Amino acid sequence: MDFPYDLVTLGHFEAGGGWEAQIRQYVRKKYRQDLAGLADLDPQTLAALFRGELAPGRPYATIQWVLRVAPFRPLELFLLFDQDPEFGTDLRVFYARKSLVVPTEDAYVFAWDYVALLARYGRGQFPLTNAGPGPEWLRFGDFAPDGASPMQDVSLGAREEILERVTPEVVEVAVRRMDCGTFAQGGGSWEVAWPLLGDLSFRFRYGPAGSEMAFDSHGARKYSPEFLMSLTWLYINGLLRECRQVDDTLPKLSAYF
């Protein structure tokens, strides 16, 4: 079948392919039964909820649909939903070859987050409706349960040292390079707002008082704090990497870990 994409697996990101094996194990042992429920869901609605699109063509006959998701440049994932009469349900994760410039761990976490989220939709944990982001911003510390605040510290951690050195002008260019999100500044602070899913948005603000994470009032109530913080970590990583592409005097993010 015609499938006009140059794709690689997660194993291409590192020698040995350990990350690829972990994802396959999650799909086959932990989520296979949940993912089978995707057969009863409208793939077009799923695509909208993931801010993605259904890719044309299929690499082989048992693939029911291919969901293309592009969180930000250059990362581009393809989620292939496979239903084989003999072997059952499977979900394969591939990447556009250009995604190889993304660090392996970030590529893995994105894949893991999307697989886990699809499994939750497959088992009916979330309704298949796209309500859109809520009208208000809720700070993470105001709605997260007690004991969740360390997750915010982990998501930022040493990144705060880089953020102190980044100028708003550099951030604005970096956001454009990511091809995702909007930039604004005022009152000595700057902020970036990213649409993470069809019904989830994230705002990151930084200024003299430090950093603030906020999520839209719909997504903040729908998704777990752990999932929200995982996406937060990935998007802030992406922003700081792009900032260094704009200003090479900034330290590499990898130097802190």
Side-chain angles (χ1 to χ4, degrees), residues 2-256:
D2 183 36
F3 192 64
Y5 300 99
D6 182 16
L7 305 183
V8 297
T9 67
L10 189 60
H12 283 79
F13 284 73
E14 64 164 4
W19 299 96
E20 173 76 9
Q22 286 191 43
I23 287 292
R24 301 298 300 140
Q25 185 176 24
Y26 282 131
V27 169
R28 291 173 175 171
K29 295 186 177 181
K30 184 174 183 178
Y31 287 136
R32 172 168 282 185
Q33 185 173 355
D34 295 331
L35 292 167
L38 295 175
D40 301 322
L41 302 183
D42 175 19
Q44 290 285 0
T45 305
L46 277 174
L49 281 163
F50 277 68
R51 291 189 66 248
E53 63 179 7
L54 296 181
R58 293 180 293 165
Y60 43 94
T62 58
I63 295 294
Q64 302 301 304
W65 45 258
V66 179
L67 175 57
R68 172 185 172 271
V69 183
F72 51 75
R73 192 195 68 84
L75 185 62
E76 189 174 330
L77 295 88
F78 289 75
L79 304 167
L80 283 65
F81 180 59
D82 187 355
Q83 276 209 314
D84 187 283
E86 181 177 358
F87 298 105
T89 300
D90 198 9
L91 186 74
R92 301 296 307 275
V93 180
F94 292 89
Y95 298 80
R97 186 172 294 277
K98 64 184 179 181
S99 302
L100 288 172
V101 301
V102 176
T104 307
E105 185 174 2
D106 287 19
Y108 166 79
V109 174
F110 260 115
W112 158 246
D113 281 345
Y114 285 144
V115 168
L117 191 57
L118 277 173
R120 285 164 171 78
Y121 274 105
R123 70 169 175 255
Q125 180 176 335
F126 299 131
L128 195 68
T129 55
N130 189 352
E136 301 173 330
W137 290 109
L138 302 180
R139 293 186 304 175
F140 182 76
D142 291 343
F143 69 83
D146 292 340
S149 58
M151 285 190 294
Q152 181 167 335
D153 297 334
V154 169
S155 291
L156 289 176
R159 295 162 182 81
E160 291 275 15
E161 296 182 29
I162 304 176
L163 288 164
E164 292 175 359
R165 300 173 56 178
V166 176
T167 66
E169 292 75 19
V170 168
V171 175
E172 183 176 14
V173 176
V175 172
R176 288 202 208 103
R177 287 175 56 89
M178 292 178 76
D179 197 23
C180 177
T182 58
F183 170 86
Q185 70 177 115
S189 300
W190 57 262
E191 67 178 45
V192 181
W194 285 290
L196 306 184
L197 299 172
D199 58 355
L200 172 64
S201 293
F202 165 55
R203 185 187 71 189
F204 181 73
R205 179 177 289 169
Y206 190 82
S211 59
E212 177 191 283
M213 299 182 182
F215 297 86
D216 75 276
S217 51
H218 171 80
R221 295 184 176 100
K222 178 177 179 179
Y223 298 104
S224 69
E226 293 83 359
F227 178 71
L228 297 177
M229 283 295 100
S230 181
L231 289 185
T232 292
W233 178 75
L234 292 163
Y235 275 76
I236 292 176
N237 278 0
L239 176 65
L240 293 179
R241 281 195 296 270
E242 289 299 333
C243 284
R244 192 174 190 279
Q245 292 296 317
V246 179
D247 179 2
D248 61 8
T249 66
L250 294 171
K252 290 183 178 180
L253 187 61
S254 59
Y256 289 82

